[in-house]
Amino acid sequence: MVKFETQVGIIGAGPAGLMLSHLLHQHGITSIVLEAKNRAYCEERVRAGVLEHTSVEMLRNAGIAHRLDREGLRHEGIDLGLHGYLHRIPFVELTGKAVTVYGQQEVVKDLISQRLSDGGDLRFECGEISVHDFEEDRPSIHVDKEDNVDVISCDYIAGCDGFHGISRSSIPPRALTVYDRTYPFAWLGILAEAAPSREELIYMHHERGFALYSMRAPRITRLYLQCKPDVDLAEWSDDRIWNELHTRLGCSDGWRPTEGKILQKGVTGMRSFVVEPLQFGRLFLAGDAAHIVPPTGAKGMNLAFADVHYLAEALRAKYRDNDEAKLDAYSATCLSRIWKAQRFSWWMTSLLHLFYDASPFDRKRQVAELQYVMSSRAAATSLAENYVGLPLD
Ligand SMILES: Cc1cc2nc3c(=O)[nH]c(=O)nc-3n(C[C@H](O)[C@H](O)[C@H](O)COP(=O)(O)OP(=O)(O)OC[C@H]3O[C@@H](n4cnc5c(N)ncnc54)[C@H](O)[C@@H]3O)c2cc1C
């Protein structure tokens, strides 16, 4: 058994865990980050791609936006589409703010590189983890690898290990309330080697199901099709995917997405999930460990950053001023923002997807709502304000 000491033990090297470790370092607080997967896996996992204005500001203030500022694609609006007709929601005109398209894997690369150059303790392929004594003053994390056990003794544990991690499930179920909704559809997503032929994202409502046109880099597009959750990918040849994308995304002005070699294919389930509270003793949950949003509102990674911003501020107040008020309020502070993001993500999802069992009345109502957002400045402003990110309190 080998023993280690740190102030904060962080489980998970996703956006939440890495950002927390970086922010703590800036406040002079030590941490050890424990990650189950290897570094390449973390750096190559293609997931989120839209950074809120609020997240970009956070990355800039934290001094890790050099590459983001060079390579990120600033988007000043999105297109909402209805049966091929597009209507632009101009974020900057409506809110004065924009979003930035920059892949989650690039954010993760930047954070890992910064932590390592700052001498950060990141342990990839760390082994099997368990958390102990988090109801006591000195909790610990046990890391079991090849018959050796490392014991990391710390003041606090941050569970940043995503939806399937061990942190949330280590808390007694009686202490947690779960709010959960599973949607009756999923997204079939592809990453294609094709230069984007439009500058902004298209969120298209179509009678065959929702489709999203987006991009990750100057030569890479990311496209999604609404599908059944139990879809068999083997039945979706590249040709079938492109044909369906052309059908759903084809615009009245003749625009179609440009085809390219499909580099990756996958199916993402759609779920809204929140656990309350985010704290149990000295174990704090952050990011996907505590909540999941359907990706329609592009909020997942952004919410993860907001959580760790509040946690880092709370730990700073504790270590600097011995003030625990922000730590005590951590869960409530995060939940206020989380539920607003949940509402927005649910609303965007409900607005744009085809509900297979919807009645004719519901379908008419849904189209009317979309037309309202496309025709009302007030409704468009509400969408824009939420999409670019509500300010951090
Ligand atoms: C297809 C898709 C598209 C998305 N699009 C968007 C978008 O456009 N915008 C947006 O904001 N969000 C989006 N999201 C959501 C976003 O990717 C997540 O919300 C984000 O990754 C959350 O970060 P996290 O650090 O909390 O968790 P994760 O990124 O899941 O990181 C958790 C880390 O913990 C590690 N881990 C897990 N268990 C253990 C363990 N037992 N021990 C040690 N380590 C462990 C994992 O390997 C992982 O590295 C999307 C997600 C998907 C799947």
Side-chain angles (χ1 to χ4, degrees):
M1 179 192 288
V2 185
K3 290 190 170 181
F4 298 88
E5 302 258 328
T6 191
Q7 287 171 308
V8 183
I10 300 176
I11 307 173
L18 290 166
M19 185 67 163
L20 177 63
S21 177
H22 176 68
L23 294 172
L24 293 179
H25 169 71
Q26 292 194 312
H27 299 329
I29 300 166
T30 61
S31 67
I32 295 177
V33 179
L34 299 157
E35 166 60 47
K37 305 287 188 187
N38 63 34
R39 179 176 173 182
Y41 177 91
C42 297
E43 291 187 336
E44 282 157 25
R45 192 171 41 186
V46 175
R47 294 176 84 187
V50 178
L51 287 168
E52 291 177 349
H53 168 86
T54 317
S55 299
V56 171
E57 287 297 295
M58 193 189 302
L59 286 158
R60 283 192 185 131
N61 292 337
I64 34 177
H66 307 297
R67 203 159 66 90
L68 163 73
D69 280 332
R70 247 188 358 256
E71 298 176 18
L73 309 171
R74 177 181 159 92
H75 281 209
E76 300 196 346
I78 54 167
D79 276 319
L80 284 187
L82 177 59
H83 307 321
Y85 290 90
L86 298 184
H87 176 85
R88 185 161 185 269
I89 307 290
F91 295 157
V92 174
E93 185 189 317
L94 296 169
T95 68
K97 295 171 186 164
V99 296
T100 300
V101 171
Y102 187 67
Q104 175 169 328
Q105 72 280 10
E106 306 305 325
V107 178
V108 165
K109 276 181 207 154
D110 294 346
L111 283 163
I112 289 176
S113 145
Q114 186 68 47
R115 284 308 294 126
L116 293 178
S117 71
D118 287 340
D121 191 342
L122 307 185
R123 303 183 187 185
F124 294 99
E125 294 181 279
C126 63
E128 201 155 314
I129 281 183
S130 53
V131 286
H132 300 266
D133 302 328
F134 44 87
E135 289 180 82
E136 316 289 329
D137 283 349
R138 193 72 183 159
S140 61
I141 305 173
H142 292 202
V143 188
D144 201 331
K145 190 174 185 187
E146 292 156 6
D147 295 333
N148 290 321
V149 179
D150 287 349
V151 175
I152 292 151
S153 174
C154 46
D155 298 331
Y156 299 98
I157 298 174
C160 301
D161 47 353
F163 188 67
H164 300 289
I166 54 99
S167 299
R168 188 180 70 251
S169 55
S170 302
I171 298 174
R174 66 178 155 73
L176 298 176
T177 305
V178 170
Y179 301 87
D180 199 5
R181 169 187 284 246
T182 306
Y183 297 84
F185 38 73
W187 279 9
L188 192 169
I190 62 161
L191 198 65
E193 200 171 11
S197 49
R198 289 191 79 90
E199 290 193 348
E200 293 177 344
L201 277 64
I202 301 176
Y203 287 80
M204 184 73 84
H205 176 83
H206 191 275
E207 60 203 7
R208 292 176 63 86
F210 169 73
L212 173 61
Y213 179 80
S214 73
M215 59 294 289
R216 286 292 181 270
R219 291 196 358 256
I220 303 287
T221 40
R222 183 92 165 125
L223 301 108
Y224 296 96
L225 289 167
Q226 176 183 347
C227 61
K228 296 264 171 67
D230 57 355
V231 66
D232 181 1
L233 263 186
E235 290 175 7
W236 283 82
S237 65
D238 293 4
D239 278 351
R240 184 176 172 201
I241 292 174
W242 283 117
N243 284 340
E244 194 64 28
L245 284 165
H246 287 309
T247 303
R248 295 195 201 174
L249 285 170
C251 291
S252 53
D253 62 4
W255 180 85
R256 300 274 180 285
T258 311
E259 290 192 20
K261 183 178 165 200
I262 296 185
L263 305 171
Q264 251 184 47
K265 249 183 235 186
V267 176
T268 308
M270 305 281 279
R271 186 170 198 178
S272 302
F273 175 96
V274 183
V275 74
E276 294 191 10
L278 274 61
Q279 176 195 1
F280 187 78
R282 287 175 171 254
L283 171 58
F284 292 81
L285 302 177
D288 277 17
H291 42 75
I292 294 282
V293 283
T296 330
K299 287 284 162 254
M301 176 168 57
N302 295 297
L303 268 184
F305 281 153
D307 289 352
V308 297
H309 161 81
Y310 292 126
L311 188 51
E313 287 300 309
L315 288 165
R316 180 192 202 186
K318 166 65 187 164
Y319 283 110
R320 194 186 54 187
D321 309 322
N322 199 24
D323 179 354
E324 295 190 349
K326 285 188 177 171
L327 271 181
D328 293 342
Y330 168 74
S331 186
T333 308
C334 290
L335 283 166
S336 161
R337 186 182 178 85
I338 290 164
W339 276 111
K340 287 176 195 137
Q342 285 289 355
R343 183 210 67 80
F344 177 66
S345 303
W346 161 84
W347 177 77
M348 284 283 280
T349 303
S350 309
L351 180 71
L352 292 162
H353 288 75
L354 179 69
F355 283 77
Y356 304 116
D357 61 351
S359 66
F361 176 91
D362 285 336
R363 291 207 179 173
K364 288 278 189 190
R365 185 206 50 75
Q366 185 187 32
V367 168
E369 184 162 10
L370 197 44
Q371 287 170 334
Y372 170 61
V373 177
M374 291 171 158
S375 60
S376 154
R377 188 177 173 90
T381 304
S382 168
L383 189 162
E385 183 180 53
N386 282 278
Y387 199 100
V388 301
L390 300 174
L392 290 164
D393 302 325

